[in-house]
Amino acid sequence: MNESPVVRLEKDGEIGVIIVNYPPVNALGSGVSDGIIDALNRANADPAIKAMVLMGEGRSFIAGADIRGFGTGRKRPPLGQRTYDVLDASPKPVVAAIHGYALGGGLENALACHYRIAVPSAKVGLPEVLIGILPGGGGTQRLPRVVGAQAALELITSGRHVPAPEAAGLGIIDEVLPANANLRAAAVAYARKIADIRPLPRVRDRNVTAEPAVFDAVRKSIARKARNQKAPYSCIAAVEAACTLPFDEGIRRESELFAELENADEAKALRYAFFAEREVAKLPDLPPDIKPCNFAAPAVVGAGTMGGGIAMAFADFGYDVKIMDAAQDALDRGMERIRANYATSVKRGSLAEDERLRRLGRIHPVAGYDDISDCDVVIEAVFERMDVKKPVFEKLDQVLKPDAFLFSNTSALDMDELAAVTKRPERVAGTHFFSPANVMKLLEVVRPSKASPETLMTAMALGRRIGKISAMAGNTDGFVANRSRAPFNSEMVILLEEGCLPEQVDKVMVDFGYPMGPFAVGDLAGLDVGAEGRKRRALANPNYRKLPIADKLVEMGRYGQKTGAGWYRYEKGDRTPHPDPEVAAIIRSVAAGMGVPQRTFTDTEILHRLLFSSVNEACRILEEGKAYRASDIDVMWLHGFGFPRYRGGLMYWADGIGVKSVYAQIAAWHQQYGDRWAPSRLLRELAETGTPFREAKPAPFA
Ligand code: T1G
């Protein structure tokens, strides 16, 4: 049999080295598993070979099954004929030599090997739950036998990546090599050392038990996050099987549970989200040879909540960052807020004290523009008003080096107008962070008309380098995320005019899968913030649909949590939202004053009123060429607004309803409510042709 093109067997003396080479991440795609089996069989049949090493070429060990193959009706090899079985049956020891990632089926192969060694930078994990399935290659049976049920449950239900040193502490990795070790040479030496050890140490021969209470406790601990999902619970059931059934029966149970998940809606949506998050980095209309610039000296101007969060985001990813505010008291308050944020993380146990000090040490407060003249990328994050931002941009343009990038954190203002006050419009772009900037993963990169491709690529890369998911947005009021969200924000208040209550709307959205209802989120962000934006839009657009109920609350000083009352009432020191009869009375009185007929609503109508209004606006954004793809808008909703990931994203979810049904409902509301529900042209065209939202062809980027 010819050697597989993606797996080869080489010999280093009496050690057979099996090398997987299936770029970009050595997923177990076409022929890889067969290639590993063939190489193992040939090595076992070769009397000159005493032991084997299994390793990956390029970036990684093995990153798991090829997710692109899921849901395609692929045939999995029958139980007993998979790589894990051949490894289990191998009469010669196999050492897994790990660099980069050993994830999913990659780690499962490593666990079926007899030994595992890794370079310190390697990461291992069973992330299947993140794509709506479970480790289907024996991971739910072998991992508990290595680390125990409790640790296995945490790793499998979280799907997190485990750094090699931690994995060694758990017993997953037998030896972590020195940082500069040559992995292949070290693995061959290790294989020589253990070649004659018998009996072969097979994970499947170990036992694991656990009290039933362990599983009940995990089910309880994940209930809030995993609400409406199936995969996390199937993971727990599979680990339970490892603790209650003989190994082979446990494998069969795992296989049954896996089969129930692969083609379920949850897995399809999560796979969609996975690939959408990779697609969003691709800028199809920019020259492919243009590369992003490196930057080493970022600065943030404005030490408010956003500026401080952005500085933390840089520091969290190892950058020394200057934070500048011309007002010393604002700078001091900003640094105080940063110190308090890090201290809270340490108190919560999510940040080690030494790491807190390292991160804090990377943030350098400065008071003058001259102090940042050496910086190569500056993000402006001052108050959200053009007459405040323009002078800052003018000053920065004067003091910065000619090739420095000038970015703004504005959430809606015209980036062309800001770029026009500089002599470097080609080096200007928007980098819109979401609050809290050091936590939220979305970075919306806004594309002014004069920005060079290099500037856009650098802004997108900046997000990735500080752990964000960057998504490109056209320069339109509200850009893409907030613009597509705006009708949702109006519709939720208009529903109150018609007879809904905040708590009813919030319950619908939490039941749908949001972590918090939109009214509770408003109270968290501050109702005064939204009021600023409404005022600006009302001035700019005489037809702007005012929201008297929301305006009334702000007039009364009910800004939300920060004033102890907003849409809800709050007890001192408690952030729990309590329905407030005073708000119900305000709603009734304003609605009566507007003469709006009152009625009751089904949960589905509330959900569709909010989300369909945004689907319609998203279609307008696409038809105007302000976003590359419908899936980019989904990525923004997942990472900017907490849209439930197991529903794929706003447009993916709408496709589940069907473009024709969405159009028909919007057309009906257009008759009932007037222009704010006028269907967009693209929506009408998609409905006429039956084209899914995800396949919409947007206009060229404008
Ligand atoms: N299958 C197919 N393509 C994959 C892939 C995979 N498993 N992993 C990555 N890619 C593609 C990705 O789409 C992108 O493509 C390119 O590789 C680089 O990825 C039996 C059933 C490994 C941590 O869930 O977490 O094993 O956009 O941009 O940032 O129990 O990729 O260039 O065309 O993400 O360096 C379990 C998923 C599968 C791992 C690398 N494994 N991958 O991150 O690069 S299920 C996973 C990742 C399974 C078994 C079960 C990350 C990464 P393109 P990237 P990266």
Side-chain angles (χ1 to χ4, degrees):
M1 180 180 184
N2 295 334
E3 183 164 69
S4 151
V6 292
V7 180
R8 64 181 190 277
L9 170 61
E10 296 180 349
K11 280 192 202 175
D12 286 13
E14 76 285 24
I15 304 300
V17 183
I18 300 170
I19 303 164
V20 177
N21 182 21
Y22 186 62
V25 293
N26 290 335
L28 294 166
S30 66
V32 176
S33 294
D34 293 344
I36 293 173
I37 290 172
D38 172 55
L40 283 168
N41 292 335
R42 281 188 288 127
N44 273 318
D46 183 339
I49 289 178
K50 292 180 67 183
M52 286 83 92
V53 167
L54 173 64
M55 63 190 295
E57 191 143 83
R59 293 166 54 178
S60 193
F61 179 69
I62 299 170
D66 189 335
I67 306 174
R68 293 183 196 281
F70 289 173
T72 59
R74 66 187 183 124
K75 284 273 163 287
R76 297 191 74 194
L79 290 179
Q81 296 173 34
R82 297 176 182 172
T83 52
Y84 323 106
D85 307 301
V86 178
L87 285 162
D88 270 345
S90 172
K92 299 175 186 174
V94 184
V95 179
I98 300 169
H99 75 295
Y101 295 99
L103 299 173
L107 179 57
E108 289 171 311
N109 271 292
L111 289 170
C113 290
H114 305 90
Y115 300 90
R116 288 156 292 283
I117 68 172
V119 297
S121 56
K123 292 191 175 144
V124 303
L126 294 177
E128 288 86 341
V129 72
L130 303 179
I131 50 174
I133 52 177
L134 57 75
T140 65
Q141 306 305 304
R142 286 190 176 84
L143 187 63
R145 285 174 164 80
V146 172
V147 305
Q150 190 81 48
L153 283 164
E154 187 272 320
L155 293 176
I156 293 172
T157 55
S158 68
R160 71 182 176 91
H161 298 175
V162 184
E166 182 189 351
L170 287 166
I172 297 171
I173 300 289
D174 297 302
E175 183 175 321
V176 177
L177 302 173
N180 54 0
N182 173 308
L183 178 61
R184 175 167 176 160
V188 168
Y190 194 96
R192 281 205 178 95
K193 187 176 70 174
I194 54 88
D196 300 323
I197 292 176
R198 296 295 183 278
L200 292 174
R202 302 188 314 170
V203 169
R204 61 167 291 148
D205 296 331
R206 302 186 201 182
N207 281 316
V208 60
T209 57
E211 291 304 317
V214 164
F215 303 98
D216 296 340
V218 175
R219 284 189 190 93
K220 213 160 146 228
S221 72
I222 66 169
R224 190 172 175 288
K225 218 158 88 56
R227 162 178 83 248
N228 303 345
Q229 286 189 259
K230 185 176 169 139
Y233 296 99
S234 300
C235 288
I236 296 169
V239 173
E240 211 162 9
C243 300
T244 52
L245 298 175
F247 184 83
D248 289 328
E249 282 180 46
I251 288 284
R252 268 192 292 282
R253 182 70 185 124
E254 175 194 88
S255 190
E256 286 160 12
L257 290 164
F258 181 89
E260 291 166 9
L261 296 172
E262 178 180 346
N263 296 308
D265 290 346
E266 174 185 336
K268 287 177 186 166
L270 288 167
R271 282 197 294 272
Y272 166 82
F274 173 86
F275 288 114
E277 289 165 342
R278 279 133 187 97
E279 207 55 26
V280 77
K282 296 169 186 168
L283 313 180
D285 60 344
L286 296 188
D289 56 332
I290 299 278
K291 296 289 170 253
C293 293
N294 280 324
F295 56 86
V300 184
V301 175
T305 308
M306 288 308 288
I310 296 168
M312 289 175 71
F314 279 105
D316 293 354
F317 279 80
Y319 285 93
D320 273 286
V321 56
K322 289 181 179 174
I323 180 165
M324 180 261 179
D325 200 305
Q328 187 61 46
D329 61 337
L331 189 60
D332 296 344
R333 276 199 311 278
M335 285 309 295
E336 201 34 56
R337 195 181 297 113
I338 290 170
R339 277 190 283 274
N341 286 342
Y342 278 135
T344 304
S345 298
V346 171
K347 211 157 69 183
R348 282 199 191 127
S350 57
L351 184 67
E353 174 57 20
D354 57 348
E355 181 58 22
R356 177 187 75 85
L357 293 171
R358 273 194 292 275
R359 293 183 185 188
L360 210 43
R362 297 187 190 121
I363 300 175
H364 309 286
V366 293
Y369 282 94
D370 294 342
D371 297 321
I372 56 172
S373 59
D374 61 333
C375 291
D376 47 15
V377 64
V378 176
I379 296 177
E380 169 274 315
V382 299
F383 193 70
E384 187 70 358
R385 279 224 322 258
M386 201 51 107
D387 59 345
V388 176
K389 290 184 182 297
K390 279 185 175 175
V392 170
F393 257 66
E394 282 161 354
K395 188 72 181 152
L396 288 170
D397 191 37
Q398 286 159 19
V399 304
L400 292 176
K401 297 178 287 190
D403 62 351
F405 293 102
L406 228 183
F407 296 149
S408 170
N409 175 55
T410 177
S411 60
L413 299 178
D414 183 342
M415 281 307 307
D416 278 332
E417 199 177 330
L418 266 180
V421 304
T422 75
K423 290 187 285 306
R424 67 180 80 201
E426 74 291 345
R427 307 291 275 188
V428 173
T431 50
H432 174 213
F433 289 79
F434 283 70
S435 183
N438 58 312
V439 174
M440 296 298 279
K441 279 184 78 80
L442 179 62
L443 179 70
E444 193 176 27
V445 173
V446 183
R447 178 172 177 161
S449 52
K450 293 196 170 67
S452 70
E454 186 183 57
T455 298
L456 296 172
M457 302 285 261
T458 302
M460 293 287 283
L462 178 147
R464 286 196 296 276
R465 290 173 192 159
I466 58 175
K468 305 290 181 193
I469 292 187
S470 302
M472 181 73 74
N475 182 39
T476 170
D477 183 4
F479 309 139
V480 170
N482 285 341
R483 177 177 160 186
S484 60
R485 175 67 187 232
F488 176 117
N489 292 338
S490 303
E491 214 54 36
M492 64 189 248
V493 180
I494 294 168
L495 277 168
L496 306 185
E497 294 169 7
E498 298 178 34
C500 264
L501 285 172
E503 51 271 26
Q504 183 184 1
V505 174
D506 278 3
K507 183 180 180 312
V508 166
M509 301 317 280
V510 169
D511 289 350
F512 179 72
Y514 277 89
M516 268 175 97
F519 286 104
V521 170
D523 276 356
L524 185 64
L527 303 186
D528 50 330
V529 176
E532 275 294 316
R534 287 200 302 277
K535 260 190 225 137
R536 185 166 49 77
R537 290 194 175 88
L539 284 172
N541 168 9
N543 301 325
Y544 180 71
R545 179 36 160 102
K546 289 190 169 58
L547 300 173
I549 294 174
D551 294 339
K552 179 77 180 159
L553 292 189
V554 173
E555 277 159 33
M556 295 170 68
R558 292 180 70 110
Y559 295 167
Q561 287 193 19
K562 58 181 154 184
T563 57
W567 292 111
Y568 294 96
R569 185 178 46 74
Y570 298 87
E571 305 293 348
K572 197 155 178 47
D574 178 357
R575 303 165 76 120
T576 311
H578 298 283
D580 186 344
E582 193 181 341
V583 169
I586 292 166
I587 291 169
R588 273 199 304 278
S589 131
V590 172
M594 295 172 71
V596 179
Q598 300 297 287
R599 51 171 287 230
T600 57
F601 292 82
T602 65
D603 291 356
T604 300
E605 183 174 2
I606 291 171
L607 181 72
H608 289 182
R609 281 276 293 270
L610 268 55
L611 294 182
F612 284 15
S613 67
S614 286
V615 170
N616 196 23
E617 192 61 29
C619 288
R620 278 199 193 90
I621 288 168
L622 291 167
E623 75 189 31
E624 291 172 18
K626 299 297 182 187
Y628 281 122
R629 295 162 279 254
S631 60
D632 287 8
I633 298 173
D634 281 344
V635 170
M636 294 180 185
W637 276 65
L638 290 176
H639 294 288
F641 303 131
F643 190 91
R645 187 181 179 79
Y646 60 85
R647 295 187 188 274
L650 174 72
M651 306 304 269
Y652 181 90
W653 167 80
D655 272 331
I657 307 273
V659 63
K660 292 180 186 293
S661 306
V662 173
Y663 173 73
Q665 178 60 81
I666 287 177
W669 281 332
H670 181 207
Q671 297 308 315
Q672 185 179 352
Y673 291 107
D675 281 354
R676 85 166 189 270
W677 279 102
S680 64
R681 170 180 57 74
L682 178 63
L683 172 59
R684 194 182 63 253
E685 288 167 1
L686 293 176
E688 282 162 1
T689 56
T691 308
F693 292 108
R694 298 198 309 278
E695 292 166 24
K697 293 275 171 286
F701 219 97

